[in-house]
Amino acid sequence: MTPEPASPAGSQLDHARATTALPHHTLETVLAIRRWTKNLLSVRTNRSPAFRFTPGHYARLGLDGVDGKVVWRPFSVASAAHDEHLEFLAVLVPGGSFSNLLAKVREGEPIRVDKASYGFMTIDRFAPGRDLWLLASGTGLGPFLSILSEPATWQRYDNLIVVHSVRHACELAYRDEIAKIPHGELLAASPARLRYVPVVTREALVGALPARIPQLIEDGRLEQAAGVALDPRHSRIMVCGNPQMSRELRRQLTARGFRSNRRAAPGHVAFENYWTTPPL
Ligand SMILES: Cc1cc2nc3c(=O)[nH]c(=O)nc-3n(C[C@H](O)[C@H](O)[C@H](O)COP(=O)(O)OP(=O)(O)OC[C@H]3O[C@@H](n4cnc5c(N)ncnc54)[C@H](O)[C@@H]3O)c2cc1C
């Protein structure tokens, strides 16, 4: 069907809308950059008072390319919902369009932040449970930092288990900060217990488990290190980062009776993949 031509009145209205339309993002300033390794960094920006998010959500960040086009990418918010700033944990992917721009960003420079936040990996989507497992690979730790800094998380669960899997020990970002979380002003009175399980796959590190998370679940070492059993009656599990890890964990956990969250049916497991891989 051929569309109706727009009436002159309509086109004037459209023009008026286009010229008065508010941008969907705000321009913020990079306040601080913390380098964990050459390619792993935390970026702190100021936060528009209107920017709202639920811990576990992601924002969309935009950087201006040399050709004048803005490159947008999703990034999980790592800072607390009550913080006045926003913080993101980012990896610089060799040759990546956003990574190339981010590598050059300095403190004091502008960055665009979409006004909306997005995502489904939030604790309110789970069926009630006792233990919250946060399984991260690499920068997948980011949203879990935000979730762990939220008092509601500590009220809802008895045990919080954060598992961070990286290749090299130097990539265990926020290790000291995680140890301090339970002593924070808002959380110190909570009876919930936090367990931090570092996993380093490419070198030996005392105190860290030495294999990928699916392997550690398969052979029982993860439950042993956490001192908590994985059980669909009590465990709620978030998985974030590498899609290959997600795929393996989905298969494993489904076989053990865990069910993914659905829009109308709260479940036991939520997954967030940072990139896509072709189907096997
Ligand atoms: C919902 C969501 C949330 C995200 N949150 C974060 C975040 O908090 N921190 C973050 O660093 N990235 C995050 N990402 C990935 C991020 O949006 C970009 O893909 C990444 O910064 C690379 O962008 P690029 O343009 O440089 O390269 P792209 O062309 O977008 O990516 C190229 C390749 O880089 C690899 N890659 C992408 N992201 C990662 C990663 N995080 N770790 C390892 N390898 C990766 C993949 O192989 C991908 O195919 C998220 C993605 C999604 C979908």
Side-chain angles (χ1 to χ4, degrees), residues 68-207:
K69 286 202 188 118
V70 183
V71 180
W72 290 97
R73 289 288 182 273
F75 280 85
S76 300
V77 183
S79 44
H82 52 262
D83 282 337
E84 286 181 3
H85 59 265
L86 293 174
E87 188 156 314
F88 306 93
L89 175 62
V91 69
L92 299 177
V93 177
S97 342
F98 190 92
S99 300
N100 287 347
L101 296 171
L102 185 61
K104 295 187 199 115
V105 167
R106 299 287 170 264
E107 291 170 9
E109 291 186 356
I111 186 164
R112 296 172 197 269
V113 181
D114 194 306
K115 286 179 181 171
S117 63
Y118 306 86
F120 302 108
M121 199 180 59
T122 53
I123 58 168
D124 54 354
R125 298 178 71 90
F126 278 139
R130 188 189 64 195
D131 310 323
L132 180 66
W133 290 77
L134 304 169
L135 309 183
S137 70
T139 51
L141 179 74
F144 298 155
L145 298 169
S146 185
I147 287 169
L148 287 172
S149 61
E150 178 60 41
T153 308
W154 290 72
Q155 283 156 14
R156 198 177 283 222
Y157 297 98
D158 294 349
N159 295 300
L160 307 168
I161 305 110
V162 52
V163 183
H164 189 198
S165 175
V166 296
R167 291 175 176 177
H168 301 284
C170 57
E171 294 158 349
L172 287 173
Y174 294 98
R175 208 179 169 181
D176 296 342
E177 286 81 354
I178 291 170
K180 287 184 199 145
I181 290 176
H183 311 294
E185 206 185 333
L186 296 174
L187 311 174
S190 167
R193 290 181 59 192
L194 175 68
R195 290 160 175 84
Y196 169 68
V197 183
V199 175
V200 179
T201 56
R202 301 257 172 110
E203 63 186 343
L205 176 72
V206 177

